[in-house]
């Protein structure tokens, strides 16, 4: 007998006790939440506030750790088809810097007027 031939339907007798148990848990959670947030017991409400405040710091630490992990992952030189892209980018930046200097640009542009410094 294959798995496709098996009957996998769920009967209402199986589901009803699970739903009843889940309903008990949901009602308990709602009552506890109302008790803590509406300050029925001051000590328990302060404990909840302190735990929530500490969880913000724990979240910040994990956020910082994830940034460190990502920074370490992308800090290594990138290779593309056996070439170091960092070297290519550095060379391109140097080339653009030399082209953007005033003397090189003025010599290459037709009709560029040379400026004289007036002091």
């Amino acid at each position: 007998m294959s798995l496709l031939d098996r009957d996998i339907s769920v009967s209402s007798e199986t589901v009803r006790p699970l739903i009843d148990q889940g309903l008990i848990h949901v009602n308990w959670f709602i009552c506890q939440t109302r008790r803590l947030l509406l300050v029925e017991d001051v000590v328990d409400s302060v404990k909840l506030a302190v735990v929530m405040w500490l969880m913000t710091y724990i979240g910040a630490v994990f956020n910082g750790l994830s940034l460190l992990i990502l920074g370490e992952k992308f800090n290594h030189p990138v290779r593309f088809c056996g070439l170091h892209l960092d070297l290519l980018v550095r060379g391109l930046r140097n080339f653009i810097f030399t082209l953007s200097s005033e003397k090189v640009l003025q010599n290459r542009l037709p009709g560029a007027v040379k400026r004289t410094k007036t002091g």
Side-chain angles (χ1 to χ4, degrees), residues 7-54:
D7 182 28
I8 58 170
S9 61
V10 180
S11 66
S12 61
E13 293 86 23
T14 307
V15 173
R16 187 154 314 270
L18 295 174
I19 295 293
D20 291 339
Q21 194 69 17
L23 187 61
I24 291 170
H25 290 297
V26 167
N27 285 332
W28 176 83
F29 179 75
I30 289 171
C31 289
Q32 291 298 318
T33 305
R34 182 181 61 194
R35 184 179 70 81
L36 290 172
L37 293 179
L38 296 179
V39 191
E40 186 176 308
D41 184 15
V42 175
V43 174
D44 286 341
S45 296
V46 169
K47 285 181 191 177
L48 175 68
V50 168
V51 167
M52 290 171 59
W53 181 63
L54 289 174

Side-chain angles (χ1 to χ4, degrees), residues 3 7-8 17 24-25 32 38 49 57 67 70 77 81 99 104:
L3 292 176
D7 182 28
I8 58 170
I24 291 170
H25 290 297
Q32 291 298 318
L38 296 179
Y57 286 107
L67 289 176
L70 288 173
C81 297
L99 281 181
V104 174

Side-chain angles (χ1 to χ4, degrees), residues 73-116:
K73 179 174 177 53
F74 295 113
N75 195 17
H76 301 295
V78 179
R79 289 181 156 261
F80 179 72
C81 297
L83 299 173
H84 283 288
L85 288 182
D86 293 337
L87 295 175
L88 293 174
V89 170
R90 192 177 306 134
L92 184 64
R93 281 183 185 166
N94 289 338
F95 179 71
I96 291 172
F97 179 73
T98 57
L99 281 181
S100 65
S101 67
E102 287 183 31
K103 293 176 184 176
V104 174
L105 249 137
Q106 284 181 356
N107 291 338
R108 301 223 177 191
L109 291 176
V113 179
K114 294 185 179 181
R115 291 188 222 165
T116 57

